[in-house]
Amino acid sequence: VFFVFYSIQSVYLFFIIILNLSVIITTVYLIVKAYQVAKKGRKTLKWQGLTTTILTATAYCISSLPFVLYTILARSDPSIANNTEFRRSVGATFTLKLISNVNIYCLTVTSIR
């Protein structure tokens, strides 16, 4: 399959969509596997690990949404691409996933507390 990218933003958008899809698919796969292992062995799910996995994946996907929105809007309106405040806020949301990881682990993993 050959893709034609019209700009570097198209490349970023493509890879962010692929990364989000892989995070979602991997999270669902881990939940299914955890359920299968729990069904065979100990009969209970480890909710602590599942909660951590789901919240981390959700934080990652949410943190990339502003960039996707920015890329789509910048194609239709070039003045948005030159808006410094909007670009900074989009860049700052990528740090959301880093900051949220610490909070998620502190809330869900009891050995960290």
Side-chain angles (χ1 to χ4, degrees):
V1 177
F2 180 71
F3 295 103
V4 177
F5 296 114
Y6 296 105
S7 68
I8 193 69
Q9 288 178 339
S10 300
V11 175
Y12 290 150
L13 182 64
F14 174 75
F15 283 114
I16 284 188
I17 290 171
I18 294 296
L19 287 173
N20 279 337
L21 286 176
S22 66
V23 166
I24 292 168
I25 290 168
T26 304
T27 302
V28 170
Y29 175 75
L30 286 172
I31 291 169
V32 169
K33 277 300 200 186
Y35 180 74
Q36 289 173 351
V37 168
K39 194 175 175 182
K40 283 183 196 174
R42 64 184 143 196
K43 308 289 187 222
T44 60
L45 282 172
K46 289 281 200 173
W47 291 106
Q48 179 181 358
L50 287 178
T51 305
T52 305
T53 304
I54 292 169
L55 288 176
T56 304
T58 304
Y60 176 79
C61 292
I62 289 173
S63 70
S64 64
L65 286 178
F67 181 77
V68 172
L69 179 67
Y70 170 75
T71 305
I72 293 170
L73 290 176
R75 283 185 177 177
S76 62
D77 187 9
S79 66
I80 292 175
N82 297 326
N83 189 341
T84 308
E85 290 83 17
F86 192 53
R87 275 189 303 182
R88 284 183 187 162
S89 62
V90 167
T93 57
F94 275 118
T95 61
L96 174 68
K97 63 181 168 245
L98 297 173
I99 295 168
S100 66
N101 280 344
V102 174
N103 295 326
I104 289 169
Y105 289 125
C106 287
L107 289 172
T108 58
V109 180
T110 55
S111 63
I112 292 179
R113 292 183 212 161

